[in-house]
Amino acid sequence: MFIDIPSELEASLIDLPLPTWKLDGSALAKASMEEYRSELTAAPRFEETVETLRHALTGEGGGYAVLRLGVLAKALGTEDDRFLRLATGFAAEVAVPFSPFPRWPLWKDIGVKVDKDPGKSSGVGYNAFHMDLVNATLPPDYTTLLCVRPDPLGGGLSILSDAHAAVARLSENSRALLAEASYNYGTFFDLHGVGEEYNPFPILGSYDPGEGFVRFTAKMLERSQLDEAHAGAARELAEELVRGQVAFMLQSGDYLIVNQRRFLHGREALHSGQETVPAANRRLLLQLFLRAGAGDGLGA
């Protein structure tokens, strides 16, 4: 699931001046996607690399990938527009980049705030398994995280777990409870391109085995009013997700792409002492969401 960029492709991309992207509403404009594809497919081994990426995301047993863009990040600088355009170009080969937050740009900063709820994405604590925009009728098909800076103190491992494999290990009774529209989490305000609010929702929808969203966030266990039976089934799923998790440290330039119809994600706690790290040196990720089109190989 870790994809290294061939050296000849890296060398070509470093000197490739992709134009500034344009948006159509909150999504990357079709003209920009076509322009990026025209430029990038001329680079040696680009299409081969993209095919490997797509297979890792949607092929049998897949569901996430990490593109190792560290050499490009070092050559161009992680906060240089040219580097971000290259990352956007790779993303656009998977699905359509878009922002569900009208008040944010296409890429959204996820920094570290020591006074934030520790369990939030910008907090310092454990961020339990979840899917993004769990309470939307049309959640993003992919969530992606581009690492600008890892935690300089060495914490913050990324964690991922195969949601369908975890569900398959549950009892039939637990699966039946999870399929009932008894769960709720979060607010729904000022969002675009993700449908309507879904509240309450089932964790397991009606889908073929191994396909579709597993609408889960461990935070619902603490912040939702659930009866004992439904809470117990959700806790059982949370335990199975942890039991099947993989963990790794994202380095500068690493680009994590998660197929939300297959995997859930989270983060281990950052290392203690974040208040001693200047804000400009703390962990920084950039988040981008992707919407798949018809025929992209994702289950309904």
Side-chain angles (χ1 to χ4, degrees):
M1 302 302 179
F2 290 82
I3 301 173
D4 292 313
I5 307 300
S7 58
E8 56 266 53
L9 177 55
E10 288 174 332
S12 178
L13 295 181
I14 287 171
D15 297 322
L16 186 65
L18 292 178
T20 301
W21 63 70
K22 294 181 176 60
L23 299 180
D24 181 4
S26 65
L28 188 66
K30 182 179 180 181
S32 288
M33 292 183 66
E34 291 175 347
E35 192 170 15
Y36 281 15
R37 167 157 256 277
S38 176
E39 294 284 347
L40 290 167
T41 52
R45 301 186 67 183
F46 176 77
E47 291 187 286
E48 170 192 330
T49 303
V50 166
E51 183 57 33
T52 300
L53 172 62
R54 290 176 182 147
H55 181 75
L57 294 170
T58 63
E60 185 177 356
Y64 75 91
V66 178
L67 271 178
R68 313 306 294 264
L69 303 179
V71 170
L72 297 173
K74 186 175 181 179
L76 300 175
T78 50
E79 299 186 58
D80 187 287
D81 286 345
R82 292 176 297 166
F83 176 67
L84 208 53
R85 290 171 198 160
L86 289 172
T88 304
F90 275 106
E93 292 295 313
V94 173
V96 180
F98 80 105
S99 171
F101 310 111
R103 63 190 181 277
W104 291 97
L106 190 62
W107 290 84
K108 176 179 178 286
D109 288 8
I110 300 179
V112 175
K113 299 177 181 177
V114 295
D115 56 350
K116 190 96 171 182
D117 178 345
K120 294 285 189 180
S121 58
S122 58
V124 300
Y126 176 66
N127 189 7
F129 280 113
H130 63 280
M131 67 169 284
D132 289 328
L133 295 154
V134 66
N135 61 333
T137 55
L138 295 173
D141 295 296
Y142 298 90
T143 185
T144 81
L145 295 166
L146 179 62
C147 182
V148 175
R149 284 188 305 273
D151 177 6
L153 300 181
L157 288 169
S158 293
I159 54 174
L160 291 107
S161 192
D162 184 330
H164 295 286
V167 168
R169 294 193 294 270
L170 300 178
S171 67
E172 185 175 343
N173 181 63
S174 290
R175 290 197 296 270
L177 288 165
L178 296 175
E180 296 177 1
S182 302
Y183 298 89
N184 60 82
Y185 176 77
T187 58
F188 194 89
F189 174 74
D190 197 19
L191 296 173
H192 180 83
V194 292
E196 306 298 327
E197 182 174 14
Y198 198 5
N199 183 22
F201 54 82
I203 290 176
L204 304 182
S206 82
Y207 55 83
D208 294 329
E211 298 293 344
F213 293 113
V214 175
R215 291 178 178 273
F216 181 79
T217 171
K219 295 169 188 173
M220 70 173 71
L221 294 170
E222 299 176 356
R223 303 177 189 181
S224 301
Q225 297 297 319
L226 295 171
D227 61 66
E228 184 176 348
H230 288 91
R235 278 194 296 270
E236 187 180 345
L237 175 55
E239 291 167 0
E240 288 300 329
L241 289 166
V242 171
R243 187 158 76 93
Q245 79 175 33
V246 294
F248 48 82
M249 184 70 73
L250 291 175
Q251 302 298 331
S252 179
D254 281 350
Y255 187 25
L256 170 63
I257 304 176
V258 182
N259 181 343
Q260 290 216 117
R261 293 177 182 269
R262 297 191 178 186
F263 271 71
L264 300 178
H265 67 285
R267 184 206 65 225
E268 297 284 2
L270 302 182
H271 198 283
S272 60
Q274 293 296 315
E275 67 281 354
T276 68
V277 180
N281 296 338
R282 293 174 187 157
R283 184 178 190 258
L284 176 61
L285 304 180
L286 301 179
Q287 186 171 45
L288 175 69
F289 297 100
L290 308 178
R291 170 72 66 214
D296 282 350
L298 293 183

